[in-house]
Amino acid sequence: MSKRILIVDDAAFMRMMIKDILTKNGYDVVGEAADGAQAVEKYKEHHPDLVTMDITMPEMDGITALKEIKAINPNAKVIMCSAMGQQAMVIDAIQAGAKDFIVKPFQADRVIEAIHKTLS
């Protein structure tokens, strides 16, 4: 059975890019969210195997959403997506329980490597 992934990013273009990479590599994208609050709701709804989470978003940022998802399921697997220059936020995310992080602009092989490593 293919692994089920939730994509969270406020930029529709970024969600589309990640979705394209994932579906081409046999992953099942079960949902998309444009902010952290939506991410928490979609997580409760779909119980995905993994979440890709943008750090900087309106409404609720990725680190807050990560903490809420971890409160729902301490074993949740979340990979943070960050732009260059967000190192301090990436460290906060890892301390909050993120499994890995990928840097924008996305490179398909790095995205797949991070997801494979996190799921195995």
Side-chain angles (χ1 to χ4, degrees):
M1 189 175 135
S2 66
K3 294 294 183 178
R4 302 165 67 250
I5 301 178
L6 172 62
I7 299 171
V8 185
D9 198 303
D10 57 328
F13 175 71
M14 287 297 176
R15 292 196 307 270
M16 189 182 73
M17 277 180 64
I18 298 179
K19 186 175 187 173
D20 189 51
I21 293 168
L22 296 177
T23 51
K24 281 181 178 163
N25 285 275
Y27 292 99
D28 181 16
V29 175
V30 293
E32 296 181 31
D35 64 54
Q38 282 182 16
V40 174
E41 288 310 307
K42 298 258 185 188
Y43 187 85
K44 289 178 192 170
E45 187 182 328
H46 297 291
H47 304 287
D49 296 304
L50 184 133
V51 180
T52 65
M53 178 84 70
D54 187 18
I55 291 182
T56 314
M57 295 180 289
E59 299 298 320
M60 181 192 290
D61 67 54
I63 294 173
T64 306
L66 165 68
K67 289 175 181 170
E68 290 205 12
I69 287 171
K70 285 295 217 177
I72 296 163
N73 176 5
N75 298 318
K77 292 182 166 81
V78 180
I79 295 177
M80 303 307 283
C81 306
S82 72
M84 284 291 189
Q86 290 183 321
Q87 274 74 13
M89 293 172 101
V90 167
I91 291 165
D92 289 347
I94 299 292
Q95 288 171 340
K99 299 291 184 194
D100 202 347
F101 67 94
I102 44 182
V103 178
K104 297 175 185 179
F106 300 119
Q107 293 170 307
D109 55 349
R110 174 66 187 117
V111 171
I112 296 305
E113 174 199 329
I115 288 173
H116 182 75
K117 189 174 85 180
T118 303
L119 288 172
S120 55

